[in-house]
């Protein structure tokens, strides 16, 4: 057992005891302070300028943009989800989402992009990617429903053939949106259970909607309606979880005394930085450094 002894001019002594063999245990130490009489000249020499106040975690230059993005997504997605199965005649009972054009542009697209920029400024890369990409998706979904963009008529003058080709083509976007949400699901394993289930619901939702468009292109409206209902069910399940997260973000924003549990997974799925840090620490200890 090796011992190290440190003494500062101000009377602070530290005794450090190091084991003979490398170990992961924290070394034993003992510190004492010997009071000394100090003069005003000593204080002025040691602290010539007033110390700045310590920064606190509550002092932030910018607010948390997450509630804005969540609220915009919910107000754009939840009504459109109800239009898919045609509850109470919404969506014309055939999944028509024309009434959601305004919410897609000004709630889904605009607020998602503003929130994504805010998350990017705060250094939240994953959140920024999610909000910005979903904001672009809402903008693209609203654009194809605007007559100005001529989405269906661009496939020919035959209305039936043009509509079928449009459905087949638009389904491709939904398929790759499902792939994107699958990647979000995998990445969210480092976050919490709520985000994993949320992204998993939408991962299933988009392939169901894509299949619905494929059957619409083939003229099989009954089967298309079935898959549209399943897509709406998974989208609604994801929206319920998202409403829960939205409430939790609001409670956190106002410093509510109780927060909603989300099932934190960060303690179970360790990050690469922490994993490499532990490996580096163990390697250096085994080498006697």
């Amino acid at each position: 057992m090796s011992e190290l002894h440190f003494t500062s001019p101000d009377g602070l002594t530290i005794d450090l005891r190091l084991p003979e063999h490398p170990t992961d245990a924290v070394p034993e130490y003992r510190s004492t302070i010997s009071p000394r009489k100090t003069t005003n000249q000593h204080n002025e020499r040691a602290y010539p300028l007033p110390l700045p106040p310590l920064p606190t975690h509550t002092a932030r230059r910018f607010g948390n943009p997450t509630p804005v993005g969540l609220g915009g997504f919910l107000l754009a997605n939840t009504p459109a989800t109800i239009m898919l199965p045609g509850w109470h005649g919404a969506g014309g009972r055939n999944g028509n989402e024309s009434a959601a054009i305004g919410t897609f542009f000004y709630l889904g697209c605009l607020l998602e992009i503003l929130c994504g920029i805010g998350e990017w400024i705060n250094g939240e890369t994953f959140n920024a990617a999610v909000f910005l990409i979903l904001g672009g998706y809402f903008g693209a979904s609203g654009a194809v429903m605007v007559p100005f963009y001529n989405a269906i008529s661009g496939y020919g003058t035959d209305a039936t053939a043009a509509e079928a080709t449009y459905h087949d083509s638009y389904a491709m976007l939904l398929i790759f949106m499902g792939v994107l949400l699958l990647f979000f699901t995998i990445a969210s394993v480092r976050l919490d259970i709520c985000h994993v289930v949320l992204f998993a619901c939408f991962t299933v939702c988009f392939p169901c909607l894509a299949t619905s468009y494929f059957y619409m292109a083939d003229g099989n409206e009954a089967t298309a309606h079935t898959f549209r209902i399943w897509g709406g069910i998974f989208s609604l399940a994801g929206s319920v979880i998202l409403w829960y997260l939205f409430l939790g973000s609001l409670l956190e924003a106002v410093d509510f005394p109780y927060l909603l549990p989300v099932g934190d997974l960060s303690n179970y799925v360790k990050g690469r930085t922490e994993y490499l840090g532990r490996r580096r620490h163990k390697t250096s200890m085994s080498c006697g450094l």
Side-chain angles (χ1 to χ4, degrees):
M1 182 72 69
S2 301
E3 295 185 3
L4 296 177
H5 181 75
F6 301 92
T7 304
S8 69
D10 296 332
L12 175 64
T13 62
I14 297 178
D15 295 324
L16 186 64
R17 311 181 79 184
L18 301 175
E20 295 179 359
H21 302 287
T23 179
D24 291 338
V26 179
E28 299 180 4
Y29 69 92
R30 183 179 67 241
S31 62
T32 59
I33 299 178
S34 300
R36 296 179 55 187
K37 293 182 179 180
T38 59
T39 63
N40 291 334
Q41 292 181 353
H42 174 76
N43 289 334
E44 292 176 359
R45 183 168 61 252
Y47 309 104
L49 296 175
L51 295 177
L54 294 176
T56 60
H57 294 288
T58 57
R60 302 182 58 176
R61 293 182 57 191
F62 302 100
N64 183 13
T66 302
V68 177
L70 295 180
F73 183 93
L74 287 169
L75 292 178
N77 181 74
T78 308
T81 297
I82 297 176
M83 296 177 193
L84 291 176
W87 294 346
H88 203 271
R93 302 188 185 277
N94 60 356
N96 191 323
E97 298 175 333
S98 298
I101 294 178
T103 59
F104 280 0
F105 277 131
Y106 298 108
L107 292 174
C109 179
L110 179 60
L111 294 186
E112 295 293 291
I113 291 179
L114 291 177
C115 176
I117 295 174
E119 296 284 4
W120 175 76
I121 293 175
N122 287 339
E124 300 291 341
T125 303
F126 180 74
N127 291 351
V130 171
F131 284 116
L132 289 174
I133 293 174
L134 292 181
Y137 167 74
F138 276 117
S141 299
V144 296
M145 292 185 288
V146 177
F148 171 79
Y149 289 98
N150 199 24
I152 296 180
S153 301
Y155 289 102
T157 56
D158 187 351
T160 303
E163 185 175 358
T165 306
Y166 165 79
H167 289 156
D168 282 331
S169 302
Y170 189 74
M172 299 301 172
L173 171 63
L174 300 177
I175 289 177
F176 286 102
M177 280 297 298
V179 175
L180 181 74
L181 267 298
L182 175 61
F183 290 170
F184 285 162
T185 305
I186 297 174
S188 64
V189 173
R190 276 278 295 147
L191 300 178
D192 51 65
I193 296 176
C194 285
H195 279 87
V196 173
V197 178
L198 166 68
F199 289 128
C201 288
F202 286 105
T203 300
V204 180
C205 166
F206 280 104
C208 290
L209 296 181
T211 305
S212 174
Y213 273 88
F214 283 137
Y215 279 109
M216 289 174 63
D218 295 337
N220 192 343
E221 181 59 34
T223 308
H225 180 70
T226 301
F227 278 96
R228 193 160 57 243
I229 291 178
W230 279 109
I233 290 174
F234 282 103
S235 179
L236 185 60
S239 297
V240 170
I241 299 175
L242 205 58
W243 280 105
Y244 178 82
L245 293 175
F246 177 63
L247 175 59
S249 65
L250 291 180
L251 297 181
E252 184 178 1
V254 298
D255 197 21
F256 202 76
Y258 303 102
L259 298 180
L260 299 180
V262 294
D264 184 26
L265 296 175
S266 59
N267 293 328
Y268 300 95
V269 184
K270 300 298 181 182
R272 180 177 61 89
T273 303
E274 182 180 359
Y275 175 72
L276 293 179
R278 286 188 173 185
R279 288 189 57 186
R280 193 179 302 113
H281 173 70
K282 291 183 179 181
T283 304
S284 62
M285 293 297 293
S286 63
C287 294
L289 300 179

PDB file of all heavy atoms in Angstrom, residues 96-126:
ATOM      1  N   ASN A  96     -60.269  10.311 -47.269  1.00  0.00           N
ATOM      2  CA  ASN A  96     -59.909  11.599 -47.866  1.00  0.00           C
ATOM      3  C   ASN A  96     -59.497  12.577 -46.764  1.00  0.00           C
ATOM      4  O   ASN A  96     -60.266  12.871 -45.854  1.00  0.00           O
ATOM      5  CB  ASN A  96     -61.103  12.162 -48.653  1.00  0.00           C
ATOM      6  CG  ASN A  96     -60.710  13.351 -49.506  1.00  0.00           C
ATOM      7  OD1 ASN A  96     -59.896  14.168 -49.109  1.00  0.00           O
ATOM      8  ND2 ASN A  96     -61.304  13.440 -50.693  1.00  0.00           N
ATOM      9  N   GLU A  97     -58.273  13.096 -46.874  1.00  0.00           N
ATOM     10  CA  GLU A  97     -57.732  13.981 -45.848  1.00  0.00           C
ATOM     11  C   GLU A  97     -57.599  15.425 -46.331  1.00  0.00           C
ATOM     12  O   GLU A  97     -56.761  16.182 -45.838  1.00  0.00           O
ATOM     13  CB  GLU A  97     -56.365  13.476 -45.380  1.00  0.00           C
ATOM     14  CG  GLU A  97     -56.407  12.109 -44.737  1.00  0.00           C
ATOM     15  CD  GLU A  97     -55.018  11.590 -44.395  1.00  0.00           C
ATOM     16  OE1 GLU A  97     -54.048  11.994 -45.077  1.00  0.00           O
ATOM     17  OE2 GLU A  97     -54.904  10.772 -43.471  1.00  0.00           O
ATOM     18  N   SER A  98     -58.436  15.825 -47.267  1.00  0.00           N
ATOM     19  CA  SER A  98     -58.345  17.187 -47.806  1.00  0.00           C
ATOM     20  C   SER A  98     -58.584  18.246 -46.735  1.00  0.00           C
ATOM     21  O   SER A  98     -58.012  19.338 -46.796  1.00  0.00           O
ATOM     22  CB  SER A  98     -59.364  17.356 -48.944  1.00  0.00           C
ATOM     23  OG  SER A  98     -59.080  16.465 -50.008  1.00  0.00           O
ATOM     24  N   ALA A  99     -59.426  17.927 -45.760  1.00  0.00           N
ATOM     25  CA  ALA A  99     -59.692  18.893 -44.696  1.00  0.00           C
ATOM     26  C   ALA A  99     -58.474  19.127 -43.807  1.00  0.00           C
ATOM     27  O   ALA A  99     -58.460  20.074 -43.018  1.00  0.00           O
ATOM     28  CB  ALA A  99     -60.861  18.412 -43.842  1.00  0.00           C
ATOM     29  N   ALA A 100     -57.458  18.277 -43.922  1.00  0.00           N
ATOM     30  CA  ALA A 100     -56.259  18.403 -43.091  1.00  0.00           C
ATOM     31  C   ALA A 100     -55.138  19.160 -43.786  1.00  0.00           C
ATOM     32  O   ALA A 100     -54.025  19.212 -43.252  1.00  0.00           O
ATOM     33  CB  ALA A 100     -55.773  17.014 -42.673  1.00  0.00           C
ATOM     34  N   ILE A 101     -55.384  19.746 -44.960  1.00  0.00           N
ATOM     35  CA  ILE A 101     -54.317  20.451 -45.683  1.00  0.00           C
ATOM     36  C   ILE A 101     -53.758  21.589 -44.836  1.00  0.00           C
ATOM     37  O   ILE A 101     -52.534  21.755 -44.705  1.00  0.00           O
ATOM     38  CB  ILE A 101     -54.841  20.981 -47.039  1.00  0.00           C
ATOM     39  CG1 ILE A 101     -55.194  19.823 -47.968  1.00  0.00           C
ATOM     40  CG2 ILE A 101     -53.791  21.874 -47.690  1.00  0.00           C
ATOM     41  CD1 ILE A 101     -55.761  20.265 -49.304  1.00  0.00           C
ATOM     42  N   GLY A 102     -54.639  22.372 -44.244  1.00  0.00           N
ATOM     43  CA  GLY A 102     -54.178  23.497 -43.431  1.00  0.00           C
ATOM     44  C   GLY A 102     -53.386  23.046 -42.217  1.00  0.00           C
ATOM     45  O   GLY A 102     -52.354  23.633 -41.869  1.00  0.00           O
ATOM     46  N   THR A 103     -53.857  21.999 -41.528  1.00  0.00           N
ATOM     47  CA  THR A 103     -53.134  21.509 -40.352  1.00  0.00           C
ATOM     48  C   THR A 103     -51.803  20.886 -40.744  1.00  0.00           C
ATOM     49  O   THR A 103     -50.817  20.986 -39.997  1.00  0.00           O
ATOM     50  CB  THR A 103     -53.987  20.488 -39.591  1.00  0.00           C
ATOM     51  OG1 THR A 103     -54.314  19.392 -40.465  1.00  0.00           O
ATOM     52  CG2 THR A 103     -55.268  21.121 -39.095  1.00  0.00           C
ATOM     53  N   PHE A 104     -51.756  20.243 -41.913  1.00  0.00           N
ATOM     54  CA  PHE A 104     -50.488  19.679 -42.374  1.00  0.00           C
ATOM     55  C   PHE A 104     -49.449  20.778 -42.601  1.00  0.00           C
ATOM     56  O   PHE A 104     -48.287  20.635 -42.227  1.00  0.00           O
ATOM     57  CB  PHE A 104     -50.696  18.887 -43.667  1.00  0.00           C
ATOM     58  CG  PHE A 104     -51.253  17.506 -43.446  1.00  0.00           C
ATOM     59  CD1 PHE A 104     -51.538  17.036 -42.170  1.00  0.00           C
ATOM     60  CD2 PHE A 104     -51.495  16.659 -44.522  1.00  0.00           C
ATOM     61  CE1 PHE A 104     -52.049  15.772 -41.963  1.00  0.00           C
ATOM     62  CE2 PHE A 104     -51.994  15.396 -44.326  1.00  0.00           C
ATOM     63  CZ  PHE A 104     -52.281  14.945 -43.051  1.00  0.00           C
ATOM     64  N   PHE A 105     -49.879  21.890 -43.210  1.00  0.00           N
ATOM     65  CA  PHE A 105     -48.931  22.962 -43.542  1.00  0.00           C
ATOM     66  C   PHE A 105     -48.528  23.788 -42.319  1.00  0.00           C
ATOM     67  O   PHE A 105     -47.340  24.015 -42.078  1.00  0.00           O
ATOM     68  CB  PHE A 105     -49.527  23.883 -44.613  1.00  0.00           C
ATOM     69  CG  PHE A 105     -49.354  23.371 -46.013  1.00  0.00           C
ATOM     70  CD1 PHE A 105     -50.432  23.330 -46.889  1.00  0.00           C
ATOM     71  CD2 PHE A 105     -48.123  22.946 -46.464  1.00  0.00           C
ATOM     72  CE1 PHE A 105     -50.289  22.863 -48.183  1.00  0.00           C
ATOM     73  CE2 PHE A 105     -47.960  22.466 -47.762  1.00  0.00           C
ATOM     74  CZ  PHE A 105     -49.041  22.429 -48.617  1.00  0.00           C
ATOM     75  N   TYR A 106     -49.513  24.219 -41.540  1.00  0.00           N
ATOM     76  CA  TYR A 106     -49.247  25.235 -40.528  1.00  0.00           C
ATOM     77  C   TYR A 106     -49.099  24.679 -39.109  1.00  0.00           C
ATOM     78  O   TYR A 106     -48.645  25.401 -38.218  1.00  0.00           O
ATOM     79  CB  TYR A 106     -50.356  26.287 -40.554  1.00  0.00           C
ATOM     80  CG  TYR A 106     -50.418  26.992 -41.879  1.00  0.00           C
ATOM     81  CD1 TYR A 106     -51.459  26.741 -42.768  1.00  0.00           C
ATOM     82  CD2 TYR A 106     -49.425  27.881 -42.265  1.00  0.00           C
ATOM     83  CE1 TYR A 106     -51.516  27.379 -44.000  1.00  0.00           C
ATOM     84  CE2 TYR A 106     -49.471  28.516 -43.491  1.00  0.00           C
ATOM     85  CZ  TYR A 106     -50.520  28.263 -44.357  1.00  0.00           C
ATOM     86  OH  TYR A 106     -50.567  28.885 -45.584  1.00  0.00           O
ATOM     87  N   LEU A 107     -49.484  23.453 -38.895  1.00  0.00           N
ATOM     88  CA  LEU A 107     -49.264  22.831 -37.593  1.00  0.00           C
ATOM     89  C   LEU A 107     -48.218  21.721 -37.694  1.00  0.00           C
ATOM     90  O   LEU A 107     -47.244  21.708 -36.941  1.00  0.00           O
ATOM     91  CB  LEU A 107     -50.580  22.265 -37.044  1.00  0.00           C
ATOM     92  CG  LEU A 107     -51.640  23.303 -36.660  1.00  0.00           C
ATOM     93  CD1 LEU A 107     -52.946  22.621 -36.279  1.00  0.00           C
ATOM     94  CD2 LEU A 107     -51.143  24.156 -35.508  1.00  0.00           C
ATOM     95  N   GLY A 108     -48.424  20.813 -38.632  1.00  0.00           N
ATOM     96  CA  GLY A 108     -47.461  19.734 -38.783  1.00  0.00           C
ATOM     97  C   GLY A 108     -46.144  20.189 -39.360  1.00  0.00           C
ATOM     98  O   GLY A 108     -45.085  19.958 -38.787  1.00  0.00           O
ATOM     99  N   CYS A 109     -46.182  20.875 -40.495  1.00  0.00           N
ATOM    100  CA  CYS A 109     -44.949  21.270 -41.184  1.00  0.00           C
ATOM    101  C   CYS A 109     -44.246  22.432 -40.488  1.00  0.00           C
ATOM    102  O   CYS A 109     -43.076  22.337 -40.106  1.00  0.00           O
ATOM    103  CB  CYS A 109     -45.258  21.623 -42.637  1.00  0.00           C
ATOM    104  SG  CYS A 109     -43.808  22.160 -43.578  1.00  0.00           S
ATOM    105  N   LEU A 110     -44.958  23.542 -40.312  1.00  0.00           N
ATOM    106  CA  LEU A 110     -44.330  24.755 -39.787  1.00  0.00           C
ATOM    107  C   LEU A 110     -43.809  24.558 -38.363  1.00  0.00           C
ATOM    108  O   LEU A 110     -42.646  24.847 -38.070  1.00  0.00           O
ATOM    109  CB  LEU A 110     -45.343  25.907 -39.821  1.00  0.00           C
ATOM    110  CG  LEU A 110     -44.837  27.254 -39.284  1.00  0.00           C
ATOM    111  CD1 LEU A 110     -43.645  27.737 -40.096  1.00  0.00           C
ATOM    112  CD2 LEU A 110     -45.956  28.281 -39.287  1.00  0.00           C
ATOM    113  N   LEU A 111     -44.658  24.065 -37.469  1.00  0.00           N
ATOM    114  CA  LEU A 111     -44.240  23.927 -36.080  1.00  0.00           C
ATOM    115  C   LEU A 111     -43.180  22.845 -35.914  1.00  0.00           C
ATOM    116  O   LEU A 111     -42.279  22.973 -35.071  1.00  0.00           O
ATOM    117  CB  LEU A 111     -45.450  23.615 -35.189  1.00  0.00           C
ATOM    118  CG  LEU A 111     -46.497  24.729 -35.079  1.00  0.00           C
ATOM    119  CD1 LEU A 111     -47.557  24.360 -34.049  1.00  0.00           C
ATOM    120  CD2 LEU A 111     -45.841  26.048 -34.699  1.00  0.00           C
ATOM    121  N   GLU A 112     -43.261  21.782 -36.710  1.00  0.00           N
ATOM    122  CA  GLU A 112     -42.238  20.743 -36.614  1.00  0.00           C
ATOM    123  C   GLU A 112     -40.873  21.277 -37.036  1.00  0.00           C
ATOM    124  O   GLU A 112     -39.849  20.985 -36.400  1.00  0.00           O
ATOM    125  CB  GLU A 112     -42.614  19.547 -37.494  1.00  0.00           C
ATOM    126  CG  GLU A 112     -43.850  18.804 -37.081  1.00  0.00           C
ATOM    127  CD  GLU A 112     -43.679  18.088 -35.763  1.00  0.00           C
ATOM    128  OE1 GLU A 112     -42.929  17.115 -35.690  1.00  0.00           O
ATOM    129  OE2 GLU A 112     -44.305  18.533 -34.795  1.00  0.00           O
ATOM    130  N   ILE A 113     -40.839  22.057 -38.092  1.00  0.00           N
ATOM    131  CA  ILE A 113     -39.565  22.598 -38.558  1.00  0.00           C
ATOM    132  C   ILE A 113     -39.007  23.615 -37.570  1.00  0.00           C
ATOM    133  O   ILE A 113     -37.808  23.616 -37.263  1.00  0.00           O
ATOM    134  CB  ILE A 113     -39.734  23.219 -39.959  1.00  0.00           C
ATOM    135  CG1 ILE A 113     -40.006  22.108 -40.985  1.00  0.00           C
ATOM    136  CG2 ILE A 113     -38.500  24.021 -40.347  1.00  0.00           C
ATOM    137  CD1 ILE A 113     -40.212  22.597 -42.389  1.00  0.00           C
ATOM    138  N   LEU A 114     -39.868  24.477 -37.037  1.00  0.00           N
ATOM    139  CA  LEU A 114     -39.397  25.428 -36.021  1.00  0.00           C
ATOM    140  C   LEU A 114     -38.867  24.700 -34.794  1.00  0.00           C
ATOM    141  O   LEU A 114     -37.827  25.084 -34.231  1.00  0.00           O
ATOM    142  CB  LEU A 114     -40.539  26.371 -35.625  1.00  0.00           C
ATOM    143  CG  LEU A 114     -40.994  27.379 -36.685  1.00  0.00           C
ATOM    144  CD1 LEU A 114     -42.178  28.194 -36.166  1.00  0.00           C
ATOM    145  CD2 LEU A 114     -39.843  28.301 -37.083  1.00  0.00           C
ATOM    146  N   CYS A 115     -39.563  23.655 -34.374  1.00  0.00           N
ATOM    147  CA  CYS A 115     -39.107  22.884 -33.229  1.00  0.00           C
ATOM    148  C   CYS A 115     -37.791  22.174 -33.539  1.00  0.00           C
ATOM    149  O   CYS A 115     -36.890  22.124 -32.696  1.00  0.00           O
ATOM    150  CB  CYS A 115     -40.168  21.869 -32.821  1.00  0.00           C
ATOM    151  SG  CYS A 115     -39.672  20.775 -31.489  1.00  0.00           S
ATOM    152  N   GLY A 116     -37.671  21.629 -34.744  1.00  0.00           N
ATOM    153  CA  GLY A 116     -36.426  20.957 -35.123  1.00  0.00           C
ATOM    154  C   GLY A 116     -35.244  21.904 -35.117  1.00  0.00           C
ATOM    155  O   GLY A 116     -34.134  21.533 -34.696  1.00  0.00           O
ATOM    156  N   ILE A 117     -35.452  23.135 -35.574  1.00  0.00           N
ATOM    157  CA  ILE A 117     -34.371  24.132 -35.539  1.00  0.00           C
ATOM    158  C   ILE A 117     -33.989  24.445 -34.095  1.00  0.00           C
ATOM    159  O   ILE A 117     -32.807  24.562 -33.744  1.00  0.00           O
ATOM    160  CB  ILE A 117     -34.789  25.406 -36.294  1.00  0.00           C
ATOM    161  CG1 ILE A 117     -34.975  25.097 -37.791  1.00  0.00           C
ATOM    162  CG2 ILE A 117     -33.762  26.511 -36.105  1.00  0.00           C
ATOM    163  CD1 ILE A 117     -35.525  26.263 -38.585  1.00  0.00           C
ATOM    164  N   GLY A 118     -35.014  24.579 -33.235  1.00  0.00           N
ATOM    165  CA  GLY A 118     -34.742  24.831 -31.824  1.00  0.00           C
ATOM    166  C   GLY A 118     -33.977  23.683 -31.173  1.00  0.00           C
ATOM    167  O   GLY A 118     -33.057  23.902 -30.375  1.00  0.00           O
ATOM    168  N   GLU A 119     -34.342  22.450 -31.495  1.00  0.00           N
ATOM    169  CA  GLU A 119     -33.626  21.299 -30.953  1.00  0.00           C
ATOM    170  C   GLU A 119     -32.188  21.269 -31.465  1.00  0.00           C
ATOM    171  O   GLU A 119     -31.263  20.905 -30.727  1.00  0.00           O
ATOM    172  CB  GLU A 119     -34.353  20.005 -31.332  1.00  0.00           C
ATOM    173  CG  GLU A 119     -35.738  19.854 -30.747  1.00  0.00           C
ATOM    174  CD  GLU A 119     -35.715  19.472 -29.271  1.00  0.00           C
ATOM    175  OE1 GLU A 119     -34.612  19.390 -28.691  1.00  0.00           O
ATOM    176  OE2 GLU A 119     -36.794  19.268 -28.705  1.00  0.00           O
ATOM    177  N   TRP A 120     -31.995  21.646 -32.712  1.00  0.00           N
ATOM    178  CA  TRP A 120     -30.648  21.697 -33.277  1.00  0.00           C
ATOM    179  C   TRP A 120     -29.804  22.746 -32.561  1.00  0.00           C
ATOM    180  O   TRP A 120     -28.618  22.525 -32.268  1.00  0.00           O
ATOM    181  CB  TRP A 120     -30.732  21.991 -34.771  1.00  0.00           C
ATOM    182  CG  TRP A 120     -29.397  22.185 -35.419  1.00  0.00           C
ATOM    183  CD1 TRP A 120     -28.488  21.218 -35.745  1.00  0.00           C
ATOM    184  CD2 TRP A 120     -28.819  23.426 -35.830  1.00  0.00           C
ATOM    185  NE1 TRP A 120     -27.381  21.784 -36.321  1.00  0.00           N
ATOM    186  CE2 TRP A 120     -27.552  23.136 -36.389  1.00  0.00           C
ATOM    187  CE3 TRP A 120     -29.248  24.754 -35.770  1.00  0.00           C
ATOM    188  CZ2 TRP A 120     -26.725  24.130 -36.886  1.00  0.00           C
ATOM    189  CZ3 TRP A 120     -28.420  25.743 -36.271  1.00  0.00           C
ATOM    190  CH2 TRP A 120     -27.169  25.422 -36.822  1.00  0.00           C
ATOM    191  N   ILE A 121     -30.395  23.900 -32.252  1.00  0.00           N
ATOM    192  CA  ILE A 121     -29.676  24.940 -31.528  1.00  0.00           C
ATOM    193  C   ILE A 121     -29.300  24.446 -30.122  1.00  0.00           C
ATOM    194  O   ILE A 121     -28.206  24.741 -29.619  1.00  0.00           O
ATOM    195  CB  ILE A 121     -30.525  26.224 -31.442  1.00  0.00           C
ATOM    196  CG1 ILE A 121     -30.698  26.835 -32.844  1.00  0.00           C
ATOM    197  CG2 ILE A 121     -29.896  27.250 -30.504  1.00  0.00           C
ATOM    198  CD1 ILE A 121     -31.618  28.025 -32.886  1.00  0.00           C
ATOM    199  N   ASN A 122     -30.189  23.684 -29.505  1.00  0.00           N
ATOM    200  CA  ASN A 122     -29.912  23.151 -28.171  1.00  0.00           C
ATOM    201  C   ASN A 122     -28.969  21.960 -28.185  1.00  0.00           C
ATOM    202  O   ASN A 122     -28.630  21.428 -27.125  1.00  0.00           O
ATOM    203  CB  ASN A 122     -31.214  22.746 -27.478  1.00  0.00           C
ATOM    204  CG  ASN A 122     -32.026  23.943 -27.026  1.00  0.00           C
ATOM    205  OD1 ASN A 122     -31.501  25.045 -26.871  1.00  0.00           O
ATOM    206  ND2 ASN A 122     -33.316  23.741 -26.818  1.00  0.00           N
ATOM    207  N   GLY A 123     -28.541  21.528 -29.372  1.00  0.00           N
ATOM    208  CA  GLY A 123     -27.606  20.414 -29.460  1.00  0.00           C
ATOM    209  C   GLY A 123     -28.245  19.048 -29.393  1.00  0.00           C
ATOM    210  O   GLY A 123     -27.542  18.051 -29.196  1.00  0.00           O
ATOM    211  N   GLU A 124     -29.553  18.952 -29.570  1.00  0.00           N
ATOM    212  CA  GLU A 124     -30.264  17.669 -29.528  1.00  0.00           C
ATOM    213  C   GLU A 124     -30.383  17.127 -30.950  1.00  0.00           C
ATOM    214  O   GLU A 124     -31.359  17.374 -31.657  1.00  0.00           O
ATOM    215  CB  GLU A 124     -31.650  17.838 -28.897  1.00  0.00           C
ATOM    216  CG  GLU A 124     -31.632  18.345 -27.475  1.00  0.00           C
ATOM    217  CD  GLU A 124     -31.072  17.317 -26.508  1.00  0.00           C
ATOM    218  OE1 GLU A 124     -31.037  16.124 -26.873  1.00  0.00           O
ATOM    219  OE2 GLU A 124     -30.673  17.708 -25.400  1.00  0.00           O
ATOM    220  N   THR A 125     -29.388  16.369 -31.381  1.00  0.00           N
ATOM    221  CA  THR A 125     -29.327  15.909 -32.771  1.00  0.00           C
ATOM    222  C   THR A 125     -30.477  14.975 -33.121  1.00  0.00           C
ATOM    223  O   THR A 125     -31.117  15.118 -34.169  1.00  0.00           O
ATOM    224  CB  THR A 125     -27.985  15.211 -33.025  1.00  0.00           C
ATOM    225  OG1 THR A 125     -26.913  16.102 -32.707  1.00  0.00           O
ATOM    226  CG2 THR A 125     -27.861  14.790 -34.480  1.00  0.00           C
ATOM    227  N   PHE A 126     -30.744  13.998 -32.263  1.00  0.00           N
ATOM    228  CA  PHE A 126     -31.801  13.029 -32.560  1.00  0.00           C
ATOM    229  C   PHE A 126     -33.162  13.708 -32.629  1.00  0.00           C
ATOM    230  O   PHE A 126     -33.935  13.478 -33.570  1.00  0.00           O
ATOM    231  CB  PHE A 126     -31.803  11.928 -31.502  1.00  0.00           C
ATOM    232  CG  PHE A 126     -32.862  10.890 -31.719  1.00  0.00           C
ATOM    233  CD1 PHE A 126     -32.730   9.948 -32.728  1.00  0.00           C
ATOM    234  CD2 PHE A 126     -34.000  10.852 -30.923  1.00  0.00           C
ATOM    235  CE1 PHE A 126     -33.708   8.985 -32.930  1.00  0.00           C
ATOM    236  CE2 PHE A 126     -34.983   9.897 -31.118  1.00  0.00           C
ATOM    237  CZ  PHE A 126     -34.832   8.953 -32.129  1.00  0.00           C
TER     238      PHE A 126
END
